[in-house]
Amino acid sequence: MLIRLAYDIQFEIPATVAMVAMLNVHPSRVNDLLEPDELQTEPRLDVESYIDGFGNRCARFVAPKGHLRLSNSTLIRDSGQPDPFNWSAQEIPVGSMPHEILQFLLSSRYCEVDRFSNIAVELFGEVAPGWSRVQAVCNWVNNHVAFNYQQARPTKTALDVYTERVGVCRDFQHLAITFCRALNIPARYATGYLGDIGVPLRLPMDFSAWFEAYLDDRWWTFDARNNEPRIGRVLMATGRDASDVAVTTSFGQADLRYFFVVTEEETATSTDPEAYLSDGA
Amino acid sequence: MLIRLAYDIQFEIPATVAMVAMLNVHPSRVNDLLEPDELQTEPRLDVESYIDGFGNRCARFVAPKGHLRLSNSTLIRDSGQPDPFNWSAQEIPVGSMPHEILQFLLSSRYCEVDRFSNIAVELFGEVAPGWSRVQAVCNWVNNHVAFNYQQARPTKTALDVYTERVGVCRDFQHLAITFCRALNIPARYATGYLGDIGVPLRLPMDFSAWFEAYLDDRWWTFDARNNEPRIGRVLMATGRDASDVAVTTSFGQADLRYFFVVTEEETATSTDPEAYLSDGA
Amino acid sequence: MLIRLAYDIQFEIPATVAMVAMLNVHPSRVNDLLEPDELQTEPRLDVESYIDGFGNRCARFVAPKGHLRLSNSTLIRDSGQPDPFNWSAQEIPVGSMPHEILQFLLSSRYCEVDRFSNIAVELFGEVAPGWSRVQAVCNWVNNHVAFNYQQARPTKTALDVYTERVGVCRDFQHLAITFCRALNIPARYATGYLGDIGVPLRLPMDFSAWFEAYLDDRWWTFDARNNEPRIGRVLMATGRDASDVAVTTSFGQADLRYFFVVTEEETATSTDPEAYLSDGA
Amino acid sequence: MLIRLAYDIQFEIPATVAMVAMLNVHPSRVNDLLEPDELQTEPRLDVESYIDGFGNRCARFVAPKGHLRLSNSTLIRDSGQPDPFNWSAQEIPVGSMPHEILQFLLSSRYCEVDRFSNIAVELFGEVAPGWSRVQAVCNWVNNHVAFNYQQARPTKTALDVYTERVGVCRDFQHLAITFCRALNIPARYATGYLGDIGVPLRLPMDFSAWFEAYLDDRWWTFDARNNEPRIGRVLMATGRDASDVAVTTSFGQADLRYFFVVTEEETATSTDPEAYLSDGA
């Protein structure tokens, strides 16, 4: 399966500002790319690419006052298979985990593991450990939190989600991640493309957040928001939580003016992808 | 100057638990060590040493049910000079910072940068940038927060410190770090030994927390709690905040029973350091 | 001046639920009413009217499963004068305040006075006491908080407003009230009708929130959201904060489906007020 | 049974400050008093007594700079019976509650009912309504929260107690009250004397907090901290939460220097109660 990936994000910049974008496909998927995956900027800026401490490809640049457009279109080969799952995957005792995994058991900005240790055990302590426990976490979050675009805010933490019971995809994942960590299951936040391949059309194409849990000896994809195996996720970045992997981080003011994402299967009859990107207002 | 460093930390472990200790001297000071710096455990456990993503030396082990003692005594050579300072050190534009520094501008568990952006600018926006701005942050925190051992708690964040105005050393640093980051000055949390060399005796010898701010092209030591140059700091670890560099992290219950730290100048007339460590209750 | 007041609020009720409505004009304005001010319900319910501990007129009823409509239209005589002000009004020492005023110095759900004592003194401690200090509070809030209907949420407290700097009218008032109380100036939350009489049309007609501060020997109207004297406020209720004086409180689920408010000067050429209320979806 | 009640509370006052004390026995117990129940102050101050909006007797005064001592000793007749209980007491539908009870269903400073509505239903929704549900709330709080004098703080809310699982008596009650309100059971905070009559000596004599829940047509005493019927409670005040009924509230700085409370059965062999009060440091 081929998936067209594209974005067109536009800002009004009131004064020169440094920015970091995490808009590239994750290095783990580079070999699947069939077209270049380079951030295009208007105006043309000096963009420096680097790999951060989590292994994500980042692009940094300094945007001048004025209008800024970030865009690209690329094509990726995908297995077309739904997220793998493995009901027999086991939890690893903390003492046996690789060193670099341990950080994903700790508290982070939006995941107050220290405030959830009792709650998590009360809710999930009786569930059989392993895949079924992570799935139970996802089920709980999916059943108890309502999706509402109007109820997003940048300061919302797992504890806020747990009490307010409403949020967007990032909020679902933050709560699930926090439960997992409180149960000593390493969990990390993931961002990427997720379209509607294989499911009834639900929402405009967009970036999405999901999470990964560490079972057996690898990371597995979970998604407390959609809570079903999906086809066509394309990973962009992983980190402790949304604070580490914002699609764009600006170190100063940058006012979002336009936001458009494409992620859909490309077939012989697809419309020209450039069409999507031509004239954001 | 020679400084004797020692600790004796004892736990009661109700059930087998994995632990990570960050009790070693920081790799940057290894060449100053005059005696071995290895974690001793009672009972003798299989301790694995590794370097984490921040460059800290960590020790991990699995502690069995029962009494656990972590201890060591080592000797380090120190310049005997107070913390360096440099009033002409400049803030670096974010666009010019090394990649690996950027993470220290982001929010973390105890440092809600996203909630302080306006407050920080209101308080410090008019202060001349550079060393004097970081110093102004330290002065403000030092003047507005009271030290009180009874007012510590593991969930206290920078925002709690800002409203409650009381805490322990870690709380002072978390607030200062958050102000710095909100001003686009990279700041990281530091733990280590800090005794009373050159100052009137104040408190029992202990580990301490301070922070580092990135100015010019390096990290500089600041300490919003003591807020004066000190002699004899011995760094153990740096991270985003206390969540990353807890002296010990246990992934399950471990009840602290005894805690004793030595950090003092060793002279010909020093008492036998072993004496400090002989019989914690 | 005559002001037409009307509302049409509709809910879908999934199961029988007790409700309290604070939709009546405040008892202090009863003598100005030219038409009946009685809550109409569809279906017709047994509505009990009472005065709560703050002196507000409340209506309570039990709504059955199904569609519920609350409505009324009334006419009130108004001075047509802007909110009174008195630059010479003084703060009263706490020791001299009437007993019943003291409660408006305490913390309440959305006004964490205990967390603002230092912040308030730092921001307003140097301002001359009295009217000018309350005005300084209003100016600060008005200048530092942005209005945004999309950023409302029922759990938002004064501290959230102080850090997020965005909200709706209730949020502005909660922050101002909290500052006043922390300065030992009694302040209470007020709800009522506020239209656009005498100002350029800004928003759809709606209920609004403002606050009252106690200076000299009486309560005065302040409004940190609009921050200018306005014509045509019609008070409905006062309390410690929004928790006490919600327009409707349902003790169980009640899903809002339609909300429409009229408050405008009635003249010979006014359209028939019934027109406003005829056919909410 | 006769119970000796006394207190000796001393402050250092840095500057003239208005204070309110709620140290009197509640009006509902006035007929049981065998000795005067009047606040004594040193220096002798003009103390004004009044009844607040909740029906509590309050004393207010303005304390000058210097040392302040509040004290009294009185004697009260008590039934000697443990707290009444009634397993058949029923929850009242909100629609049938007296008006003045409704306020005890709302959120207040330390009781964020709005953040607990789902949690309370998840934990207690399946429990049979009535006395058994309130008892289930008390059992849960008593089993899941640890008592620790060192973990008190004035800003701790029910949500903090729920996540931190540690606190003092006020914290236990705040969480239980919040659960009850979220279940539509009116609950109010109570303060008073509670000694160790009929139980093994546990703690120094002190004031205590408990709570009352409204079942059938009256308020009943519950105590999530002790969670067993006790003999010799003497009520001082009730309110929404601790914010309403602090033993002393000072509208400015007042530093507590000494705190001593007597509440014990008076028998022929009791020591002279004055002895308790003679020379607080």
Side-chain angles (χ1 to χ4, degrees), chain B residues 114-119 122-123 140 144 153 159-165, chain C residues 114-119 122-123 140 144 153 159-165:
Chain B
D114 46 354
R115 300 191 74 167
F116 273 91
S117 47
N118 291 288
I119 299 169
E122 285 155 17
L123 290 175
W140 193 97
H144 290 79
R153 64 178 189 273
L159 185 56
D160 292 326
V161 182
Y162 180 65
T163 59
E164 302 179 16
R165 301 292 169 92
Chain C
D114 46 354
R115 299 191 77 169
F116 274 91
S117 48
N118 290 289
I119 299 169
E122 286 155 18
L123 289 175
W140 194 97
H144 289 79
R153 64 178 189 272
L159 184 57
D160 292 327
V161 183
Y162 180 65
T163 59
E164 300 178 16
R165 303 293 170 90

Side-chain angles (χ1 to χ4, degrees), chain D residues 184-205:
Chain D
N184 280 337
I185 303 171
R188 66 186 184 189
Y189 186 88
T191 60
Y193 292 88
L194 177 59
D196 57 359
I197 299 170
V199 293
L201 180 63
R202 298 172 183 204
L203 290 168
M205 290 179 285

Side-chain angles (χ1 to χ4, degrees), chain C:
Chain C
M1 176 187 293
L2 300 183
I3 302 177
R4 171 61 53 189
L5 305 175
Y7 55 86
D8 182 351
I9 306 175
Q10 302 180 28
F11 297 91
E12 200 62 38
I13 308 290
T16 303
V17 66
M19 298 183 71
V20 173
M22 298 177 82
L23 286 161
N24 289 102
V25 166
H26 193 262
S28 62
R29 294 294 299 271
V30 160
N31 290 338
D32 295 327
L33 286 166
L34 301 175
E35 295 179 5
D37 177 35
E38 295 301 330
L39 172 65
Q40 312 297 319
T41 68
E42 290 180 20
R44 190 155 306 210
L45 302 174
D46 189 19
V47 176
E48 191 178 5
S49 188
Y50 66 98
I51 304 293
D52 72 9
F54 297 105
N56 305 307
R57 189 171 165 214
C58 309
R60 59 188 290 191
F61 51 87
V62 176
K65 180 177 188 316
H67 198 79
L68 172 69
R69 185 192 192 204
L70 309 178
S71 66
N72 192 47
S73 171
T74 189
L75 191 66
I76 198 165
R77 185 185 297 113
D78 193 81
S79 69
Q81 297 302 307
D83 303 324
F85 68 93
N86 177 358
W87 279 92
S88 65
Q90 297 299 305
E91 293 179 21
I92 304 300
V94 176
S96 306
M97 289 173 190
H99 311 319
E100 66 274 16
I101 300 300
L102 296 176
Q103 66 179 311
F104 297 106
L105 292 171
L106 301 179
S107 285
S108 56
R109 170 64 184 103
Y110 300 113
C111 300
E112 314 102 322
V113 182
D114 46 354
R115 299 191 77 169
F116 274 91
S117 48
N118 290 289
I119 299 169
V121 169
E122 286 155 18
L123 289 175
F124 307 107
E126 302 300 307
V127 178
W131 186 282
S132 58
R133 183 133 66 177
V134 181
Q135 187 57 56
V137 165
C138 291
N139 292 348
W140 194 97
V141 173
N142 191 261
N143 287 335
H144 289 79
V145 179
F147 187 88
N148 187 331
Y149 264 122
Q150 263 63 57
Q151 300 286 323
R153 64 178 189 272
T155 59
K156 190 183 273 191
T157 70
L159 184 57
D160 292 327
V161 183
Y162 180 65
T163 59
E164 300 178 16
R165 303 293 170 90
V166 64
V168 292
C169 59
R170 87 182 215 149
D171 301 313
F172 284 72
Q173 317 308 341
H174 280 154
L175 181 54
I177 288 167
T178 308
F179 280 140
C180 286
R181 292 182 189 169
L183 296 164
N184 281 336
I185 303 171
R188 66 185 186 190
Y189 186 89
T191 60
Y193 293 87
L194 177 60
D196 59 358
I197 299 170
V199 295
L201 180 63
R202 298 173 182 204
L203 291 167
M205 290 180 285
D206 198 355
F207 298 124
S208 187
W210 55 87
F211 77 102
E212 296 181 341
Y214 194 85
L215 297 172
D216 282 350
D217 56 353
R218 55 162 285 196
W219 291 104
W220 301 85
T221 294
F222 289 88
D223 181 345
R225 155 78 176 101
N226 292 297
N227 203 25
E228 62 182 357
R230 291 288 287 269
I231 295 167
R233 288 184 205 271
V234 180
L235 185 67
M236 296 194 305
T238 62
R240 285 200 187 176
D241 62 28
S243 187
D244 288 329
V245 295
V247 168
T248 61
T249 301
S250 63
F251 296 94
Q253 202 176 341
D255 300 320
L256 186 67
R257 289 286 185 259
Y258 184 74
F259 188 89
F260 188 70
V261 174
V262 174
T263 174
E264 58 173 9
E265 188 173 2
E266 179 143 303
T267 63
T269 60
S270 288
T271 45
D272 174 9
E274 287 303 311
Y276 292 116
L277 301 176
S278 51
D279 46 23

